[in-house]
């Protein structure tokens, strides 16, 4: 699993896809109604594709409710991810102190690495001299 920002971006992408899918479902399954006295619902020709596949009102209402719940659940996941991001509860001074502490840790780790490299070089020199000595005695 990625870091918090990656998770947040993926959740936002999923929410956008859910919005599009919800819009498509609602637009595709609504009931055809007239809004004014001059409105007409055209009759379809046999070779014409239906733009709307109406479902009964109970199924439509249930679908709306399920889609709304899914959107709310995803939004709550996003809110949770946002709340876990670092820095929301820390002042700028606290964040700067955390950065300084991390820099000190990095400096200590770098010092250990340099010592390990130096030790490795010394061991390699000793090993090289031992190999040279063995070659001489053969």
């Amino acid at each position: 699993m990625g870091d918090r920002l990656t998770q947040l971006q993926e959740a936002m992408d999923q929410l956008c896809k859910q919005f599009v899918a919800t819009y498509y479902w609602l637009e595709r399954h609504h009931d055809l109604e007239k809004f004014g006295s001059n409105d007409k619902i055209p009759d379809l020709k046999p070779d014409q594709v239906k733009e709307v596949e109406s479902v009964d009102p109970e199924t439509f209402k249930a679908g709306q409710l399920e889609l709304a719940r899914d959107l709310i659940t995803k939004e709550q996941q996003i809110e949770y991810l946002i709340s876990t991001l670092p820095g929301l509860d820390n002042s700028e001074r606290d964040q700067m102190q955390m950065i300084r502490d991390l820099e000190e840790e990095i400096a200590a780790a770098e010092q250990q690495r340099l010592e390990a490299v130096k030790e490795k070089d010394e061991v390699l020199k000793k090993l090289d001299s031992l190999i040279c000595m063995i070659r001489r005695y053969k």
Side-chain angles (χ1 to χ4, degrees), residues 30-42:
H30 68 83
D31 201 10
L32 294 174
E33 293 185 19
K34 295 180 182 180
F35 292 107
S37 58
N38 295 335
D39 292 342
K40 295 179 184 176
I41 299 175

Side-chain angles (χ1 to χ4, degrees), residues 2-129:
D3 63 89
R4 294 278 185 225
L5 287 177
T6 303
Q7 292 174 11
L8 181 59
Q9 180 62 52
E10 289 172 356
M12 290 297 295
D13 291 344
Q14 291 168 356
L15 181 64
C16 290
K17 288 177 184 175
Q18 281 181 267
F19 275 127
V20 170
T22 298
Y23 176 78
Y24 178 78
W25 191 89
L26 293 172
E27 190 265 336
R28 191 85 176 122
H29 295 94
H30 68 83
D31 201 10
L32 294 174
E33 293 185 19
K34 295 180 182 180
F35 292 107
S37 58
N38 295 335
D39 292 342
K40 295 179 184 176
I41 299 175
D43 294 328
L44 292 177
K45 296 176 184 160
D47 62 340
Q48 208 173 6
V49 178
K50 289 176 84 174
E51 292 181 18
V52 176
E53 306 233 353
S54 299
V55 294
D56 64 276
E58 288 180 17
T59 303
F60 187 74
K61 209 53 151 161
Q64 280 181 317
L65 185 61
E66 182 180 346
L67 291 168
R69 284 185 182 146
D70 290 345
L71 289 171
I72 290 169
T73 300
K74 184 54 69 178
E75 186 275 332
Q76 289 172 341
Q77 290 173 351
I78 290 170
E79 287 291 326
Y80 171 75
L81 287 171
I82 290 171
S83 72
T84 61
L85 289 174
L88 291 178
D89 296 330
N90 299 327
S91 67
E92 183 178 347
R93 186 176 348 129
D94 293 339
Q95 291 180 29
M96 292 305 293
Q97 183 59 45
M98 287 172 34
I99 290 171
R100 282 191 291 276
D101 293 344
L102 288 171
E103 286 173 344
E104 288 174 9
E105 286 180 37
I106 289 172
E110 178 65 15
Q111 184 62 35
Q112 288 177 343
R113 186 189 73 79
L114 291 173
E115 289 172 9
V117 168
K118 185 177 178 182
E119 184 180 341
K120 176 197 71 141
D121 290 340
E122 290 173 6
V123 169
L124 281 175
K125 285 179 185 176
K126 287 180 184 177
L127 183 60
D128 192 37
S129 66

